[in-house]
Amino acid sequence: MAGRAVTLIAAALAAAILLLLAAPLLALGLRLGAFSLGPADLAAIRFTVTQAALSALVSVLLAVPVARALARRRFRGRETLVTLLGAPFLLPTIVAVLGLIAVFGRAGWFSQILALAGLPPVPLYGLQGVVLAHVFFNLPLAVRLLLQGWQAIPAERFRLAASLGFGARDLFRHIEWPMLRAVLPGAALVIFTICLSSFAVALTMGGGPSATTVELAIYQALRFEFDLPAAARLALVQFLLCAAAFALAGRIARPEGFGAGLGRTGAPPAPGGIVRVLDAVVILLAAGFLLLPLAAVLLRGLPGLASLPPQVWQAALRSIVVALCSTALTMAVALPLALAAARPGRVWPGLAATLPLASSSLVLGTGLFLIALPLVRPADLALPVTMLVNALLALPFAFRILAADARRLDEDHARLARSLDMPGLARLRYLILPRLARPAGFAAGIAAAFSMGDLGVIALFATERELTLPLMVQQLMGSFRTQTAASAALLLVVLSFGLFWIFDRWGRHHAAA
Amino acid sequence: MKHPFLALGLAAATAMVAPETRADDKPVLTVLAYDSFTSEWGPGPAIETAFEAVCGCDLRIIGAGDGAALLARVQLEGPRSEASVVLGLDTNLTAAAAQSGLFAPHGITDLPHDLPVEFDDPLFRPFDWGWFAFVHDRNRLPEAPGSFEELAASDLKVVIQDPRSSTPGLGLLMWVKAAYGDRAPEIWQALADNILSVTPGWSESYAMFLEGEADMVLSYTTSPAYHLIAEGDDSKSAAAFAEGHYLQIELAGKLAAAPEPELADRFLRFMASDEFQKILPTTNWMYPAHMPDEGLPDGFDWMIRPETSLLLPADDAAALRADALAEWQAALSR
């Protein structure tokens, strides 16, 4: 389906992305000749890769039973639960960490229950804490990506399997495993890449300097040592790690696609008995793990929500506008890239769409600041740069969500479309867009929510007044206003979630139509 | 697909054209400060009003992240900065700031300050100060340890800040170094099992403490004053340490390339005035560097007053930092 026009547009976009990622490194004075890393850097790289790989692995492995249970069970509140499961992903990091602590911390609910049984609290801080937090953030994303995979399996295939008398094992081997093989590596790659640039979560949950990530080393180089080239070198390391993970995921992933359906999808067969009970347990555990910290955030924030000062509402409005603009930009870039990536064997659109996630937002921000400095007042750029960077950082999610369906479409329908001699635009309008509505809505929702919550680079550019809501939460916390901060954070969560919900619902509505 | 995105575009367009209001022809003095100073809940807004009442100018206080980010921002901007004054560096950062060559001497000799130690710097003027301290909740921890060694011997859990990303974190590093010198690595090793978590900045630590997750948090002796005065909560208290407490002296300096050098000079002098200083205790929750006539607000007399103030000279602090950091990292990475 990747017509020549789409390919050209995608190539131009990919080039622009690479330029946008490379320019800040060059502005910071990256010199490849003098490339050296000290023992502290190497230790940081080792820890970074370990925690990111573990986080990705645990997230996708746990996501398989959860997504399968959700795919084959129908129960009251299922739709709401699926939507709610997206929420942890949207939490600002510090809010999420506090929510996790309220549940799993030393004085948390979980520890209190353990104490009733005479047990000591679980040791939260350390590598296990880092992985726990990252799984909390990313399990929902993995579940949604897999759920999307299950939902995309044509109904005919399940019916065929039933008529052939497939047992659970055959079903898994012939129908579910190929889907997982196609979707899992990509999901793991995105999560690995997100965790590569983790900083506050890794440090706080890691419990000490042994939990030093590359991003923290970048922070140190930029803030305390003012060693710009060192920061650029470390940022390049993050890109290289991401590229290596991308190559690895590409080797493991196997595109599926053995025969098209009529475009209708159906739930996988839902065996009863013990499997049914197991599914219920899996769904309950996942919901508990993901929703309890959210409940803690809700409980902390609710009391002050009505009495939030007007500045917070203004910041909220500004954040919504930033998020909507970022979303539009993200979707405008993600769609051509996803369509271009549908051509078998073509990897560059995927790489271009994934690399931004590995970028250090501090390096990106500092580089753009240096580039902009001779031209404009940095303060005038605060919001546009935030939009641009948020859009860039949301791109990998949007791309990943769209790409799977775009590829499936291509495999299933390209020949038909060609034989009907459908022109490109008509194909886009009648064949592609309607079938991409569901992932597009989901992708836009994720992008919008992600841009709401991300602090990213604005701190460097910020002025006296143009505060976004996440920055406002940070300022409130920095001024002892813990209660107000908790309420502002709740507002942030509600708004992010609201945006996500609207887009996601729109997608599902149009998919159904 | 059309309609939501069309709406997006419109919303974006309206937001982008929102004009920036500029004050008429008055000269603009731009002051670069850390975020919590500029915030609605910090001293920034009141100081803006007070200075604008006397300067005939438009004072803009711009936030640039935390204290460390502030210096990085100044260095990034170099002589191109639109700022004339940088406010919020501390003595652990001034050596690097001085070395950058971006600051000009303030030339003020006639405004003696009320700091607990001798302090004189040709480039930087103090505006407030405080002692670092571990803060605890007396309901949860009635008897706090009285020294680093007692803390290390206890099974209490504390949260601290990372010296690589936060100025209080760096202050703690210097505190242990100033108090124990060569024994610092030994103290850090003994403290390792008391440190529950290291956070990137002060606010994450403090929130974790308030959440009840940690017994104590690295903050300031005056932090309990916030809870007492603003919230009527007298349960928070700072533990007095026998070794003495390390000082954070917050400083401001004039940039050599200041677009408004005269206004900058006036602002630095204004910092010593009662109008400026009386704002600080209940917005920045630090001690004023020049005691205002009206003294400190009620509640500050409840705060502990350490007998020994520790402070490494700026050059020593800068010279010791790399080694102290390596010791800290090695001791806590076990």
Side-chain angles (χ1 to χ4, degrees):
Chain A
M1 110 181 47
R4 200 166 303 138
V6 170
T7 306
L8 273 178
I9 294 172
L13 289 171
I17 293 167
L18 292 182
L19 185 69
L20 206 53
L21 295 179
L25 297 189
L26 298 175
L28 291 186
L30 179 70
R31 283 187 315 272
L32 290 177
F35 204 94
S36 70
L37 296 164
D41 295 332
L42 292 176
I45 292 171
R46 215 164 25 236
F47 177 77
T48 305
V49 172
T50 309
Q51 59 84 13
L54 270 176
S55 302
L57 209 61
V58 175
S59 297
V60 294
L61 288 183
L62 289 181
V64 173
V66 180
R68 181 155 65 165
L70 283 172
R72 64 189 179 190
R73 302 294 164 192
R74 293 289 174 273
F75 51 91
R76 261 174 103 91
R78 178 183 171 277
E79 290 282 289
T80 318
L81 181 66
V82 169
T83 313
L84 265 180
L85 287 186
F89 183 70
L90 321 174
L91 288 175
T93 47
I94 179 60
V95 177
V97 166
L98 290 177
L100 280 173
I101 286 174
V103 177
F104 298 104
R106 289 170 70 232
W109 302 340
F110 193 58
S111 304
Q112 284 170 15
I113 295 172
L114 286 180
L116 287 180
L119 295 169
V122 267
L124 179 59
Y125 302 91
L127 184 57
Q128 70 279 14
V130 180
V131 173
L132 178 94
H134 284 155
V135 170
F136 172 73
F137 276 115
N138 296 308
L139 177 61
L141 181 71
V143 168
R144 282 298 300 258
L145 284 172
L146 290 188
L147 193 57
Q148 200 187 326
W150 249 293
Q151 281 166 341
I153 297 176
E156 293 92 337
R157 235 175 275 178
F158 288 121
R159 244 175 280 139
L160 180 67
S163 67
L164 289 174
F166 270 20
R169 188 181 299 174
D170 294 326
L171 194 71
F172 183 76
R173 222 175 92 200
H174 295 292
I175 295 183
E176 294 174 318
W177 176 241
M179 183 280 290
L180 290 174
R181 186 95 196 249
V183 178
L184 273 184
L189 169 69
V190 174
I191 297 172
F192 175 83
T193 313
I194 302 175
C195 299
L196 268 188
S197 54
S198 173
F199 157 38
V201 172
L203 181 64
T204 307
M205 303 306 287
S210 52
T212 295
T213 53
V214 176
E215 187 75 11
L216 176 60
I218 290 176
Y219 209 94
Q220 183 186 1
L222 274 184
R223 291 287 159 84
F224 277 98
E225 278 143 24
F226 202 66
D227 188 345
L228 304 186
R233 272 201 302 278
L234 291 165
L236 184 65
V237 168
Q238 284 187 350
F239 284 129
L240 294 177
L241 290 173
C242 171
F246 183 87
L248 186 67
R251 288 190 75 96
I252 297 172
R254 285 278 172 280
E256 37 170 353
F258 45 102
L262 291 173
R264 241 171 296 140
T265 57
I274 184 80
V275 181
R276 189 186 155 90
V277 177
L278 278 179
D279 278 355
V281 170
V282 163
I283 292 174
L284 275 177
L285 279 180
F289 171 56
L290 296 171
L291 299 183
L292 280 178
L294 277 177
V297 171
L298 186 74
L299 286 177
R300 288 171 74 248
L302 216 46
L305 199 57
S307 53
L308 279 176
Q311 299 88 351
V312 173
W313 294 102
Q314 285 159 17
L317 191 65
R318 214 171 284 122
S319 281
I320 291 178
V321 173
V322 169
L324 292 179
C325 296
S326 298
T327 307
L329 197 56
T330 300
M331 294 308 289
V333 177
L335 196 60
L337 284 176
L339 293 177
R343 167 86 46 93
R346 185 186 273 168
V347 293
W348 57 264
L351 186 60
T354 310
L355 275 179
L357 207 51
S359 66
S360 152
S361 56
L362 199 63
V363 164
L364 202 56
T366 309
L368 292 176
F369 185 89
L370 278 175
I371 293 168
L373 196 58
L375 311 169
V376 252
R377 278 177 73 223
D380 292 339
L381 286 182
L383 292 186
V385 167
T386 307
M387 278 170 209
L388 183 69
V389 171
N390 284 351
L392 204 57
L393 294 182
L395 179 63
F397 306 110
F399 171 82
R400 188 61 48 193
I401 294 163
L402 288 172
D405 283 26
R407 168 159 292 181
R408 222 170 275 127
L409 265 180
D410 188 61
E411 283 156 2
D412 298 350
H413 298 288
R415 220 170 315 146
L416 176 71
R418 236 172 284 134
S419 68
L420 288 176
D421 205 13
M422 255 170 126
L425 262 181
R427 222 192 285 178
L428 191 71
R429 172 121 193 242
Y430 296 108
L431 181 64
I432 301 171
L433 291 186
R435 279 183 182 70
L436 282 184
R438 183 196 289 264
F442 177 41
I446 288 278
F450 193 75
S451 317
M452 273 301 281
D454 186 52
L455 259 186
V457 295
I458 194 171
L460 198 60
F461 289 84
T463 61
E464 38 191 341
R465 287 184 186 88
E466 288 181 343
L467 291 181
T468 55
L469 193 50
L471 206 53
M472 186 68 103
V473 171
Q474 188 141 313
Q475 286 206 352
L476 282 163
M477 284 181 66
S479 316
F480 289 102
R481 264 57 176 192
T482 325
Q483 177 57 55
T484 317
S487 301
L490 178 60
L491 178 65
L492 179 58
V493 174
V494 170
L495 291 177
S496 311
F497 190 70
L499 284 180
F500 170 71
W501 184 79
I502 292 171
F503 280 112
D504 192 34
R505 208 186 139 80
W506 170 84
R508 283 197 266 171
H509 175 76
H510 280 253
Chain B
M1 174 149 295
K2 273 178 287 191
H3 311 297
F5 293 112
L6 197 66
L8 289 193
L10 285 176
T14 13
M16 299 304 287
V17 296
E20 193 185 341
T21 47
R22 272 198 181 276
D24 25 66
D25 293 336
K26 287 181 193 161
V28 176
L29 175 68
T30 304
V31 172
L32 207 55
Y34 51 83
D35 270 345
S36 60
F37 192 92
T38 63
S39 97
E40 211 61 46
W41 302 272
I47 281 167
E48 222 173 293
T49 316
F51 189 59
E52 282 176 356
V54 294
C55 73
C57 70
D58 178 12
L59 174 62
R60 297 179 162 207
I61 307 182
I62 289 183
D66 62 2
L70 197 57
L71 181 56
R73 162 88 175 243
V74 174
Q75 286 172 292
L76 279 181
E77 289 187 327
R80 278 207 200 89
S81 181
E82 57 174 342
S84 297
V85 173
V86 176
L87 179 151
L89 303 173
D90 72 10
T91 51
N92 294 325
L93 297 172
T94 45
Q99 216 179 10
S100 73
L102 293 168
F103 288 86
H106 52 71
I108 299 174
T109 51
D110 57 330
L111 296 170
H113 50 67
D114 303 308
L115 298 178
V117 290
E118 285 292 312
F119 180 83
D120 189 29
D121 190 299
L123 297 179
F124 300 100
R125 289 285 302 170
F127 61 92
D128 68 12
W129 60 277
W131 285 289
F132 291 114
F134 284 93
V135 172
H136 63 106
D137 185 322
R138 282 183 293 138
N139 296 331
R140 285 191 276 136
L141 179 67
E143 292 290 322
S147 66
F148 280 109
E149 285 175 317
E150 274 183 44
L151 173 60
S154 74
D155 53 7
L156 295 173
K157 296 287 183 190
V158 301
V159 262
I160 61 171
Q161 296 102 55
D162 198 303
R164 295 167 293 177
S165 56
S166 122
T167 51
L170 184 55
L172 176 63
L173 199 67
M174 294 302 156
W175 185 2
V176 174
K177 201 74 198 166
Y180 287 97
D182 292 342
R183 282 187 63 210
E186 181 194 323
I187 295 295
W188 279 117
Q189 267 167 39
L191 283 171
D193 61 344
N194 299 97
I195 294 171
L196 181 70
S197 176
V198 179
T199 65
W202 174 88
S203 49
E204 295 93 348
S205 295
Y206 208 79
M208 280 172 80
F209 161 69
L210 290 179
E211 196 72 31
E213 185 67 3
D215 301 305
M216 303 177 89
V217 59
L218 174 68
S219 191
Y220 300 87
T221 58
T222 42
S223 303
Y226 169 77
H227 300 281
L228 189 63
I229 296 170
E231 297 178 335
D233 165 14
D234 64 357
S235 66
K236 307 291 184 289
S237 181
F241 273 20
E243 296 93 337
H245 288 246
Y246 198 79
L247 279 176
Q248 182 170 48
I249 301 176
E250 297 204 283
L251 305 155
K254 179 172 79 160
L255 286 169
E260 293 286 345
E262 274 132 54
L263 274 174
D265 286 334
R266 280 184 70 186
F267 184 82
L268 289 182
R269 292 192 73 85
F270 180 74
M271 279 191 342
S273 70
D274 273 16
E275 290 79 43
F276 186 105
Q277 292 286 316
K278 72 181 183 197
I279 295 168
L280 296 171
T282 53
T283 50
N284 225 24
W285 304 98
M286 298 282 271
Y287 288 108
H290 302 263
M291 189 58 73
D293 288 341
E294 59 191 66
L296 290 167
D298 288 344
F300 270 75
D301 46 340
W302 281 67
M303 302 300 112
I304 60 160
R305 299 278 307 192
E307 283 163 24
T308 316
S309 295
L310 304 172
L311 184 68
L312 294 170
D315 290 334
D316 294 5
L320 284 170
R321 197 175 57 111
D323 286 344
L325 197 57
E327 290 167 10
W328 176 84
Q329 229 167 324
L332 296 191
S333 291
R334 297 259 165 107

